[in-house]
Amino acid sequence: SKIVMTRTAADLAPFIDSAQLVAELGGPKRFVYDYALPTPDENACMADAPARAAAERAFADAVHAYEAHTSAWAAADALQPDGPGRAAARDRLRAAGRALDPYVRARTLYHRAGVVAPDHSVSL
């Protein structure tokens, strides 16, 4: 069986080191969960329809440009590394996706805690 049901800290011992258990399960670790509540205006830009439409158009244009460069690259007789046009189209697509993101994706606890930065980089 791959799932093991446990009731006590002793039952967990074969699977989890007792030094890693939280206090509620008989371990030494004290843990207090702190949930950062969203602010009322945290996702206000999602309601900006004209800006969202512009970002969506820019993203769609970037998708079409990248598809065109990729199709031309794939149709070439000899296999070549990415040319500067395809690399630039890829970078444009990535930037357009990041510009569209605030209009279509709500911020999360990870944004509020600083794990996900405004440039979408992650720091753990």
Side-chain angles (χ1 to χ4, degrees), residues 11 22 26 30 33 35 38 40-41 43 49 54-55 59 63 67 69-70 73 77 84 88 96 109 112 116 119 123:
D11 293 341
V22 293
R30 300 276 175 216
Y33 182 74
Y35 178 72
D41 63 342
N43 295 308
F59 182 74
V63 167
E67 286 176 343
H69 282 286
T70 301
W73 171 74
D77 290 336
L109 173 69
R112 291 188 288 278
V116 178
D119 68 351
S123 62

Side-chain angles (χ1 to χ4, degrees), residues 35-63:
Y35 178 72
L37 292 171
T39 59
D41 63 342
E42 182 172 271
N43 295 308
C45 66
M46 294 180 82
D48 188 354
R52 177 183 173 153
E56 287 174 338
R57 279 191 304 277
F59 182 74
D61 292 344
V63 167

Side-chain angles (χ1 to χ4, degrees), residues 37-115:
L37 292 171
T39 59
D41 63 342
E42 182 172 271
N43 295 308
C45 66
M46 294 180 82
D48 188 354
R52 177 183 173 153
E56 287 174 338
R57 279 191 304 277
F59 182 74
D61 292 344
V63 167
H64 294 307
Y66 185 68
E67 286 176 343
H69 282 286
T70 301
S71 295
W73 171 74
D77 290 336
L79 186 60
Q80 305 168 20
D82 280 356
R86 185 165 181 252
R90 179 194 62 227
D91 294 341
R92 180 178 160 212
L93 177 59
R94 183 176 292 135
R98 287 183 176 166
L100 175 62
D101 193 64
Y103 300 105
V104 297
R105 189 185 325 265
R107 288 173 40 94
T108 67
L109 173 69
Y110 299 108
H111 293 90
R112 291 188 288 278
V115 175

Side-chain angles (χ1 to χ4, degrees), residues 19-33:
Q20 297 298 318
L21 291 177
V22 293
E24 291 116 12
L25 298 176
K29 293 214 174 226
R30 300 276 175 216
F31 178 76
V32 177
Y33 182 74

